[in-house]
């Protein structure tokens, strides 16, 4: 720039600034743009607007300037206007800033005697960062440490201190001019000029020193305090986004630099943009500084990858690629890394004149490049002069696709060529890890040679044909395939003859051979010296060619140089291909700016004037004026009339349509798939809470609150608000009152605009202030504008830049423990990169309903992208996805005529003309019909004619998608003008759908909408597109992206003809078609498929009914709608509206199963259903589901499939119109990618780059199949794509050390196709999340009254009320109540008492065996004293649960413990698993190895912070759900808790309860019931008591002083209560009961404090019930059965054992035996226990299956089949014998004891056992032991005798004491047949009982399973 610091105005720059200023003032609504001069003077080094702004595309201007500077014909650029503003800030190339020859900069000589060593200052002090990185450097306030680069020390950074006012801010702005700096070395201060400072620090520059160029980095201290290189100084806007940010120059040996200088100064004759290097100027005197790394937008690169030895720079050149340059045809493609240039790489400087700053978006680090070339001098021939007027002469702007090797320099008219790195990455074979190579089927060695790459490229180009353009993704697949072929061949030939490669000599011949089949579309040029020759030759031919000559589409230039090997590139000359490639290099924002620039500068005027006339050559405006005059004042009738009928405007405005009651938009429902997905979201949230990472504690929250953030679209905000209101979610979550919820909803939906910051701060304050509320931040359409905050300034061009990042990824959001982030997107690919912040396990994907049958009774099916593609195979005459070939031909003709305009501009003008002429053709000028494409004509015909059909006036909607706002406004103005002049302004509306503004509809149309809707308030106006249901209208939808707005069911056409080759990423393309996705009736999808495939699959589905000679195929599977027998899709799968030739009537023979009976001339098939006859077939389906949010919450989500809102009109009141989805008209480019032809060779959209903000990690990667599930696609993208530098996730790099990804734990992603119903789903999720939080605070406990109660008599011994403990004297006098009162035993046999004999037995209602009785439960709030399962997490019991370390499993030790059991008659070996923290409870042998005993306290111990009894909890099948966390129930005090588990379940319990002591039962008990666990607990405890007594005796403790109690409690005990009876008031008869929740600790401590406790055998408490009355509490203590939670005295009950065989009633049996031994059982009535209803595990029944499965589908096995005759052929069952026996007995009373049924006076006598033999029978329990206390049974005649495994105490004499009824029955049960016989003999049973042979039975087990045998007999 010479010294043009501030004052010098540069012409090119001035013109550009001027354009920008004009445009800014046009676009800017509030901010006043800065005056043009302040921009130019105050920002000397900065471009006035941000990168994101409009760039003029000034080829014309370029030319003028060039001529201005070269009037005399010589290329003399000595003026000091900078033409080539090639900014060299980042490039370490020295180049002078004007285009005059670079004059070596003369430095002042250093003062005498001063140091001149590089890296030291003149005072001799070291300034290098390596030396100073550990020093503490003091700098004055306001100064910063920065790093300067010396050209002579490329590997070092010099440390300087600079006043930060002279440095730029993050956006490259606001740096003061000038300099102020200090030397860190010698401390000298106050350098005011950078020139002086650079001399002092010995920079030794060859050009004028500039701070912008040499101060490179901020220096920062790392956490270890080391000073290191920080971010780049952002000297220019977007400097942070420059490419090659870390490529530094490579210092060559100076000898290399003596190059040939072209004679007579052609060096300075470079046109407009030649990057000059000192080497080229012969400036080797300064060490031959190279042009090594440039980061101009031209991104020069040396493309040679030949594996020669590299010459690496000090910091390995990491490549940064970046977004593309803003101006088209001038720079590099966004995503491809350009290799590190070597020393003399030719730099294609395609630098535009007027671009003072590079437009590059944030760099993405790509894989570090390997071979950087050995430098070579530039041969003179390596330059290409671009001919003058190339574009004007040829109409083509060639695109040069970089291939392999070094590209030459370009100079001259470089504005007319484009260099594209589209395929360059395909030729650079990346280094992949072996596992990746294996996945791809490659071996590391097998890479393609250059020759093979060249041949593949030519073959690919030949295959593309004339229509397609090269696609990187497609070519990558071809390269991969080729490599796989080579690998296969190599394996096949293993060790055989090696594959012979193509020799360089054969290459030219082979290349030409392949190209020869291309019909001259591909040419090959081979040169010997350099690629420059081939390119020059091609450009020469192009510039000289005449228009009639045919050009090849591609020229492949190959250079077969002996020295350098083969190199090549491709020059694209095809009119269509070159334009498409050039345009596809721009991002959407950039080409929209390009278009707005073309419109603002009037470059389109030629095109506009072309369209001033009609296709027939008439002047359009005059024609329209004429028509208007002819019509006079009248207008076409608005509806219910032909286009020829006219009325006055007043009359038209006053016409009222008929009201239509089918208001689906009000009746709002939530559908089954939405419920399912909401539940998936909920279970994912639960999974996060259960993950043990402590990132979410759901038990902590009692409320849910939310905010929904949507992109900047007014309609989307209104639409989301509407759904929030209709769903009622605000009221359901308790956030707002019913009345105010409607207004207050706006607080919950926020759009990403400039006001979001303040609204979001308010929300975050709420989050901080309400720690017990779980907030959900829903980021809807989260893929839109996901750019990072740092990647650019917030300019007025892109106001949303980085806003989402600022909100979603800010520190507070990441850290808030009570905030979940839910990102919702239809196109989530940009969120699924290697840097993704969302764990793949936290993605929730929409459910896939693959086939129609899956849908069951769903009314509607989703019709999305895949269905559109598949519909092309329906084989119907007019597909739903179309390409307008005629239109494409017209476009191509125009594009050739206007090569300088963006194709979208041309397309848009043509489209406007098409619609205008179609309007005219259909109303006044029929002669224009042939000049409209049939597609356009049929759309307009349908649009105009449908309102005329009847009085309701409803019609269709047409969307025309015009991404550029300026073009959209133009289209609206033009179409509106034509419409109004034709008098159609009352017929249909034209609406501009601009995201920035609200919908604007003319008042007479609003009135019409209000009439249709019925009862809307006066001030109602449509706010969403859905509000336009039924309105005939054209919506011109503009904006960069469609943002997820839902369209009404009346949308019939979606015109996407403007969406062209600029949309070459998957998201961009698919979201456009997403506009049309919706729900349709099942017939639509079923129809065509079943109609076409009736061949053999399901002929019965479509019988043929004759009806008006039209074949009607009716789908019989579906119930017909109430009002129309024939569901009507008019034949319009074949055509909605006009067929392609509007007269073609043959299409009446419809292929759909539901064809319409009457069709109007094929023009618009109106249905003849019973409803209103106008309804067009496309009219509509129920609300497209996406619109549905949620119905009023119906807790029975499993109930009806769709929960309709109240007041919903009956479905089908207009007949079910089997409507078709909208018809989509695409451009050819989009059609070829979306219409996936079966077996076609075209790639589908899914293989494209997923999003413009991400880049492929490698060009070698497996293929993405279209039919991959969305989960698989997510994993694919996470592996193979990475975020670009301007992407919000870019900063979230994996941990460099471990490579671990950083996921945010509380972030979820909900993905589902567009318009599928995600909004409804997440609103439903909020609702069920709230319900779950409430449920987490609640528990279902059993609430059942006691059974068999009799309050009439009070106990004989009076107890004084209110006593805390029983008095043993009086208590022992109380009788034992043998009746069972526990309600869980309501179906058990009654225990006989004398009272029972007096009861008249009423017949109990028969209970069905099959269905288990549902027990009564009630929901209770959990309190702080509850017992919990594994799902509870909180800070207090975190240690207790101890999920922390992964190594904890090893912290517990396994100890065997053996004792002998007299009952089992053998040694029993149990295992203890004891965590380290619990070892203090045990005694180990001296060596510390062997477990000796478990410590027991003394009876006399008094410790308020402990309970004395060890607690045993047997548990099975409930490792997750068992309530084994007693921390809160015990109030955190120390206690000894042992889980008793079966051997096979031990690993699960150990995993979930690592901190609990486990007692593992021996393997033989794996199938045993709860009796075995209780038996072993008791045996073990007694054995341990003896051991402890012995141990403590040695210490002088008396034996009886050792505490003999243990607690045995179930794993479902949840809460404990204390009850007290309140004083009886005089009024009320009944005294009240007050209850309060208490802890288990206080209950146990109270019971343990009972006086003389060691005299009680068992103590327990009663079961809670809501019906507890003061009556039941009258006696504070009862002597009766206790269950579920007992304190057991193992010393007293030493001789009473649990029956270890038992599965059921083991506690009743044990209690009866304990009592008969004369021991005391005491129940504390003032305490009660709540038991949780746990659905899983516990004493669930075995599923009884046959041992040998014969077939899968067996009838259930009935209980009577559980026994069989011995040795019979009966089906043997796989279940324990005892279990089968007990189940059999429960159901067999009728068979076994017929006399006992309902005869309680005559019970069945059971000796020494209680077994449940059915509730119809009473059992009299008698103990055979001497001195036992038994019930008095004098005078009782027993109806039966039950002997179960009786022992030697039972003798014949005992039995003879009892009397039996005549016909009483006997059942003797024994272990085996022999003991059965012996028992009968021993007990002399044959004396009184008669046996028959057939009365012997066994349980239905095989002999290996030891069946039990029993014999029945009758009393004689």
């Amino acid at each position: 720039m010479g010294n043009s610091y501030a004052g010098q105005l540069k012409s090119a720059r001035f013109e550009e600034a001027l354009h920008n200023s004009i445009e800014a003032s046009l676009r800017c609504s509030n901010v006043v743009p800065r005056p043009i001069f302040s921009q130019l003077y105050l920002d000397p080094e900065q471009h006035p607007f941000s990168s994101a702004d409009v760039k003029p595309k000034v080829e014309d201007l370029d030319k003028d300037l060039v001529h201005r500077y070269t009037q005399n014909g010589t290329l003399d650029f000595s003026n000091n206007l900078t033409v080539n503003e090639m900014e060299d800030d980042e490039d370490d190339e020295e180049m002078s800033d004007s285009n005059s020859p670079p004059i070596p900069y003369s430095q002042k000589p250093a003062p005498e005697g001063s140091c001149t060593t590089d890296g030291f200052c003149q005072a001799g002090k070291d300034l290098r960062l390596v030396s100073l990185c550990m020093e503490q450097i003091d700098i004055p306030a306001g100064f910063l440490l920065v790093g300067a680069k010396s050209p002579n020390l490329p590997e070092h950074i010099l440390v300087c201190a600079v006043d930060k006012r002279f440095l730029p801010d993050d956006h490259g702005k606001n740096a003061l001019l000038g300099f102020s700096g200090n030397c860190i070395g010698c401390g000298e201060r106050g350098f005011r000029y950078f020139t002086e400072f650079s001399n002092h620090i010995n920079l030794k520059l060859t050009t004028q020193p500039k701070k912008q160029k040499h101060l490179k980095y901020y220096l920062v201290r790392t956490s270890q305090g080391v000073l290191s290189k920080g971010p780049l100084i952002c000297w220019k806007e977007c400097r942070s986004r420059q490419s090659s940010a870390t490529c530094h120059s490579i210092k060559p040996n100076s000898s290399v630099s003596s190059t040939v200088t072209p004679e007579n100064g052609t060096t300075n004759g470079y046109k407009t943009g030649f990057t000059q290097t000192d080497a080229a100027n012969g400036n080797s005197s300064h060490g031959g500084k190279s042009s090594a790394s440039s980061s101009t937008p031209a991104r020069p690169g040396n493309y040679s990858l030949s594996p020669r030895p590299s010459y690496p720079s000090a910091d390995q050149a990491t490549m940064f690629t970046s977004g593309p340059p803003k101006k088209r045809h001038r720079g590099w493609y966004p995503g491809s890394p350009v290799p590190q240039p070597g020393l003399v790489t030719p730099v294609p400087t395609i630098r535009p004149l007027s671009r003072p700053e590079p437009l590059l978006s944030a760099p993405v680090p790509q894989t570090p490049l390997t071979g950087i070339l050995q430098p070579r001098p530039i041969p003179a021939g390596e330059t290409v002069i671009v001919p003058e007027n190339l574009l004007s002469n040829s109409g083509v702007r060639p695109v040069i696709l970089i291939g392999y090797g070094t590209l030459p320099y370009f100079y001259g008219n470089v504005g007319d060529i484009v260099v594209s790195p589209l395929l360059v990455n395909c030729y650079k074979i990346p280094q992949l890890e072996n596992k990746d190579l294996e996945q791809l089927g490659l071996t590391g060695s097998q890479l393609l040679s250059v020759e093979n790459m060249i041949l593949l490229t030519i073959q690919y180009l030949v295959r593309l044909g004339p229509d397609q353009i090269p696609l990187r993704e497609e070519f990558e697949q071809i390269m991969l395939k080729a490599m796989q072929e080579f690998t296969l061949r190599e394996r096949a030939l293993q060790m055989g003859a090696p594959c012979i490669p193509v020799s360089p000599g054969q290459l030219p011949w082979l290349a030409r051979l392949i190209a020869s089949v291309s019909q001259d579309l591909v040419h090959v040029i081979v040169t010997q010296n350099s690629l420059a020759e081939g390119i020059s030759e091609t450009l020469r031919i192009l510039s000289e060619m005449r228009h009639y000559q045919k050009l090849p589409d591609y020229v492949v230039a190959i250079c077969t140089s002996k020295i350098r090997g083969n190199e090549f590139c491709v020059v694209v000359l095809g009119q269509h291909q070159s334009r498409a490639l050039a345009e596809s290099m721009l991002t959407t924002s950039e080409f929209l700016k390009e278009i707005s620039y073309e419109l603002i500068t009037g470059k389109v005027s030629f095109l506009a004037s072309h369209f001033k006339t009609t296709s027939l050559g008439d002047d359009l405006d005059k024609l329209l004026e004429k028509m208007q005059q002819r019509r006079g004042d009248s207008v076409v009738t608005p509806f219910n009339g032909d286009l020829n009928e006219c009325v006055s405007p007043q009359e038209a405005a006053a016409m009222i349509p008929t009201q239509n009651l089918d208001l689906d938009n009000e009746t709002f429902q939530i559908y089954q798939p939405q419920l399912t997905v909401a539940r998936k979201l909920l279970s994912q949230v639960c999974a996060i809470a259960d993950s043990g990472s402590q990132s979410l504690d759901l038990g902590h929250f009692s409320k849910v609150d939310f905010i929904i953030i949507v992109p900047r679209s007014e309609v989307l905000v209104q639409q989301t608000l509407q759904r929030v209101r209709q769903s009622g979610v605000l009221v359901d979550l308790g956030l707002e009152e019913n009345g105010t919820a409607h207004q207050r909803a706006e607080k919950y939906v926020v759009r990403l605009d400039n006001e979001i910051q303040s609204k979001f701060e308010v929300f975050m304050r709420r989050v901080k202030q309400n720690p017990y509320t779980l907030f959900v931040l829903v980021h809807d359409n989260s893929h839109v504008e996901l750019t990072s905050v740092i990647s650019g300034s917030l300019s007025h061009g892109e106001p949303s830049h980085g806003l989402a990042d600022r909100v979603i990824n800010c520190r507070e959001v990441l850290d808030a423990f009570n905030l979940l982030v839910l990102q919702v997107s239809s196109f989530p690919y940009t969120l699924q990169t290697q840097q993704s912040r969302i764990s793949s396990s936290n993605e929730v994907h929409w459910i896939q309903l693959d086939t129609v049958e899956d849908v069951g009774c769903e009314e509607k099916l989703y019709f999305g992208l895949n269905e559109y593609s598949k519909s092309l195979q329906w084989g119907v005459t007019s597909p739903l996805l179309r390409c307008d070939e005629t239109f494409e031909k017209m476009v191509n003709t125009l594009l050739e005529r206007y090569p300088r305009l963006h194709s979208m501009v041309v397309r848009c003008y043509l489209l406007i003309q098409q619609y205008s002429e179609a309007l005219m053709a259909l109303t006044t000028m029929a002669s224009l019909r042939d000049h409209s494409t049939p597609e356009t004509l049929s759309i307009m015909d349908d649009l105009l004619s449908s309102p005329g059909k009847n009085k309701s006036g409803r019609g269709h909607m047409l969307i025309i998608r015009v991404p550029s706002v300026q073009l959209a406004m133009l289209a609206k103005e033009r179409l509106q003008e034509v419409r109004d002049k034709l008098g159609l302004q009352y017929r249909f509306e034209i609406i501009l759908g601009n995201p920035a503004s609200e919908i604007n509809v003319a008042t007479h149309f609003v009135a019409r909408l209000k009439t249709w809707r019925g009862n809307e308030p006066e001030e109602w106006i449509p706010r969403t597109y859905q509000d336009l249901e039924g309105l005939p209208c054209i919506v011109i939808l503009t904006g960069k992206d469609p943002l997820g707005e839902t369209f009404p069911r009346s949308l019939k056409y979606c015109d996407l003809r403007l969406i062209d080759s600029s949309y070459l990423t998957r998201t961009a393309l698919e979201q456009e078609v997403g506009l049309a996705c919706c729900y349709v009736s099942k017939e639509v999808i079923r129809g065509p498929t079943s109609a076409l495939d009736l061949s053999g699959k399901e002929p019965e589905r479509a019988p043929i009914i004759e009806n008006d000679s039209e074949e009607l195929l009716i789908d019989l599977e579906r119930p017909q709608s109430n009002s129309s027998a024939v569901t009507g899709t008019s034949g319009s799968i074949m055509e909605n509206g006009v067929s392609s030739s509007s007269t073609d009537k043959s299409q009446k023979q419809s292929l759909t199963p539901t064809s319409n009976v009457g069709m109007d001339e094929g023009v618009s098939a109106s249905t003849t259903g019973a409803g209103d006859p106008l309804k067009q077939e496309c009219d509509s389906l129920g609300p497209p589901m996406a619109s549905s949010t949620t119905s009023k919450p119906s807790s029975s989500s499993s109930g009806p499939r769709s929960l309709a809102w109240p007041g919903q009109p009956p479905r089908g009141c207009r007949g079910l119109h089997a409507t078709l989805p909208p018809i989509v008209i695409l451009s050819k480019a989009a059609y070829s990618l979306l219409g996936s032809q079966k077996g076609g060779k075209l790639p589908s959209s899914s293989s494209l780059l997923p999003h413009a903000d991400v880049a492929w990690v490698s060009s070698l990667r497996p293929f993405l199949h279209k039919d991959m599930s969305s989960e698989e696609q997510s994993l694919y993208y996470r592996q193979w794509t990475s975020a670009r530098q301007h992407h919000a996730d870019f900063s979230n790099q994996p941990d460099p050390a471990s490579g671990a990804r950083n996921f945010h734990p509380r972030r979820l992603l909900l993905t589902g196709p567009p318009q599928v119903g995600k909004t409804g789903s997440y609103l439903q999720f909020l609702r069920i999340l709230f319900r779950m939080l409430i449920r987490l605070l609640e528990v279902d406990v059993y609430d059942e009254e006691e059974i068999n109660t009799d309050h009439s008599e009070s106990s004989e011994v009076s107890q004084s009320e209110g006593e805390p403990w029983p008095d043993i004297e009086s208590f022992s006098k109380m009788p034992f109540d043998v009746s069972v009162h526990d309600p869980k035993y309501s179906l058990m046999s009654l225990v006989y008492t004398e009272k029972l004999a007096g009861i008249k037995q009423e017949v109990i209602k028969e209970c069905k065996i099959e269905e288990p009785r549902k027990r009564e439960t009630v929901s209770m709030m959990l309190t702080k004293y509850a017992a919990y399962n594994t799902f509870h997490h909180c800070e207090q019991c975190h240690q207790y649960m101890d999920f922390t370390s992964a190594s904890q499993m090893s912290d517990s030790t396994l100890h065997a413990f053996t004792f002998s059991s007299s009952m089992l008659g053998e040694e029993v070996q149990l295992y203890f698993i004891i965590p380290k923290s619990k070892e203090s409870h045990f005694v180990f042998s001296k060596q510390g190895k062997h477990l000796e005993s478990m410590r027991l306290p003394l009876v006399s111990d008094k410790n308020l912070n402990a309970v004395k009894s060890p607690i045993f909890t047997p548990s099975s099948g409930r490792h997750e759900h068992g309530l084994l966390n007693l921390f809160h129930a015990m109030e955190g005090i120390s206690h000894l808790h042992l889980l008793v588990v079966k051997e096979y379940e031990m690993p699960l319990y150990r995993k979930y309860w690592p901190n609990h002591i486990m007692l593992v039962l021996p393997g033989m008990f794996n199938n045993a019931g709860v009796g075995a666990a209780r038996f072993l607990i008791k045996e073990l405890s007694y054995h341990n008591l003896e051991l402890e007594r012995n141990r403590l005796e040695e210490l002088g403790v008396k034996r009886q002083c050792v505490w003999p109690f243990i607690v045995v409690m179930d794993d479902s005990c949840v809460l404990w209560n204390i009850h007290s009876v309140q004083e009886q008031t005089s009024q009320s008869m009944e005294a009240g009961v007050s209850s309060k929740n208490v802890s288990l600790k206080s209950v146990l401590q109270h019971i343990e404090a009972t006086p003389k406790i060691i005299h009680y055998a068992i103590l327990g408490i009663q079961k809670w019930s809501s019906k507890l009355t003061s009556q039941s509490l009258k006696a504070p203590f009862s002597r009766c059965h206790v269950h579920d939670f007992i304190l057991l005295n193992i010393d007293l009950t030493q001789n009473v054992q649990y029956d270890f065989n038992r599965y059921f009633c083991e506690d009743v049996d044990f209690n009866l035996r304990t009592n008969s031994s004369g021991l005391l059982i005491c129940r504390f009535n003032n305490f009660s226990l709540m038991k949780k209803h746990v659905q899983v595990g516990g004493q669930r029944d075995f599923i009884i299956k046959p041992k040998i499965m014969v077939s899968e589908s067996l009838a259930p096995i009935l209980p009577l089949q559980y026994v069989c005759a011995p040795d019979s052929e009966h089906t043997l069952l796989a279940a324990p014998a005892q279990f089968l026996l007990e189940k059999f007995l429960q159901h067999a009373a009728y068979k076994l004891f017929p006399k006992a049924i309902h005869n309680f006076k005559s019970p069945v006598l059971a000796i020494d056992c209680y077994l449940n033999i059915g509730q119809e029978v009473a059992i009299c329990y008698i103990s055979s032991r001497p001195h036992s206390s038994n019930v008095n049974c004098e005078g009782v005649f027993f109806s039966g005798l039950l002997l179960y495994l009786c022992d030697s105490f039972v003798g014949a004499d005992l039995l003879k004491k009892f009397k039996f009824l005549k016909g009483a029955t006997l059942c003797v049960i024994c272990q085996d047949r022999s003991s059965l016989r012996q028992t009968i003999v021993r007990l002399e049973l044959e004396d009184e009982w008669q046996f028959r042979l057939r009365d012997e039975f066994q349980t239905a087990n095989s002999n290996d399973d030891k069946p039990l045998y029993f014999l029945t007999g009758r009393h004689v």
Side-chain angles (χ1 to χ4, degrees), residues 1682-1741:
V1682 286
H1683 316 267
D1684 303 332
F1685 171 80
I1686 59 172
L1687 232 75
L1688 179 61
N1689 185 333
I1690 40 186
D1691 190 24
L1692 281 186
T1693 57
Q1694 176 196 350
N1695 296 318
V1696 186
Q1697 301 299 354
Y1698 279 100
D1699 182 345
F1700 61 84
N1701 293 310
R1702 294 293 286 274
Y1703 287 84
F1704 306 100
C1705 314
E1706 79 299 329
D1707 48 353
V1708 178
D1709 181 57
F1710 180 73
N1711 288 340
L1712 288 169
R1713 279 187 284 149
T1714 305
N1715 176 60
S1716 65
S1717 307
L1719 300 173
L1720 293 180
I1721 301 179
C1722 173
R1723 187 178 85 180
F1724 282 66
N1725 290 334
N1726 51 350
F1727 289 115
S1728 72
L1729 163 71
M1730 289 181 172
K1731 284 199 70 181
K1732 178 179 176 178
H1733 169 55
V1734 183
Q1735 263 113 339
V1736 294
Q1739 286 190 48
R1740 294 273 159 247
D1741 295 357

Side-chain angles (χ1 to χ4, degrees), residues 508 997 1075 1093:
S997 56
L1075 290 171
D1093 191 21

Side-chain angles (χ1 to χ4, degrees), residues 788 790 805 835 837 1283 1285 1287-1293 1302:
S788 65
I790 35 185
D805 181 34
Q835 290 84 4
R837 297 171 192 266
Q1285 187 152 356
H1287 188 302
D1289 287 347
F1290 176 72
S1291 54
N1292 189 44
Q1293 295 294 344
N1302 305 314

Side-chain angles (χ1 to χ4, degrees), residues 435-503:
K435 67 171 183 353
D436 289 337
L437 286 170
E438 275 166 33
Q439 188 184 346
L440 294 167
L442 301 178
T443 53
S445 60
Q446 188 53 63
L447 301 175
L448 294 180
S449 65
V450 182
E451 289 77 13
N452 287 332
M453 287 184 195
I454 295 173
L455 296 178
L456 269 179
T457 308
I458 298 171
Q459 265 175 318
Y460 175 56
L461 297 174
V462 170
R463 200 201 81 172
L464 281 176
D467 293 332
Q468 270 183 280
I469 63 164
L471 272 184
R472 169 182 170 179
E473 285 76 16
E474 195 180 8
F475 189 58
E476 281 168 342
Q477 289 310 313
I478 290 172
M479 294 283 283
L480 175 63
K481 200 92 194 90
M483 288 190 197
Q484 288 167 341
E485 290 297 323
F486 273 106
T487 306
L488 289 172
R489 242 172 91 199
E490 195 181 50
R491 282 178 188 153
L493 292 171
Q494 243 163 23
M495 304 313 166
C499 312
I500 299 162
V502 178
S503 69

Side-chain angles (χ1 to χ4, degrees), residues 557-569:
I558 304 175
C559 165
T560 55
S561 151
K562 293 278 187 296
I563 326 158
R564 303 156 44 163
N566 291 327
E567 301 178 335
F568 75 105
C569 69

Side-chain angles (χ1 to χ4, degrees), residues 1259-1285:
S1259 58
L1260 282 185
R1261 58 181 183 280
F1263 190 52
L1264 176 72
H1265 295 292
K1266 202 168 184 180
D1267 43 8
M1268 273 189 181
S1269 68
S1270 52
E1271 289 88 338
E1272 292 166 328
Q1273 291 188 26
S1274 167
L1275 295 172
Y1276 176 89
Y1277 286 137
R1278 285 165 178 275
Q1279 181 178 359
W1280 296 107
T1281 63
S1282 69
R1284 294 215 161 118
Q1285 187 152 356

Side-chain angles (χ1 to χ4, degrees), residues 305-324:
L305 287 171
S306 42
R308 289 185 268 264
S310 62
Y311 196 93
S313 66
D315 27 337
Q316 172 66 44
T318 321
M319 198 56 223
F320 282 71
T321 67
S322 67

Side-chain angles (χ1 to χ4, degrees), residues 1348-1363:
N1348 309 328
T1349 48
D1350 175 19
H1351 294 311
S1352 53
E1353 62 174 86
S1354 59
S1355 50
E1356 300 96 63
V1357 183
S1358 65
Q1359 306 176 23
S1360 54
E1361 284 184 33
E1363 284 292 321

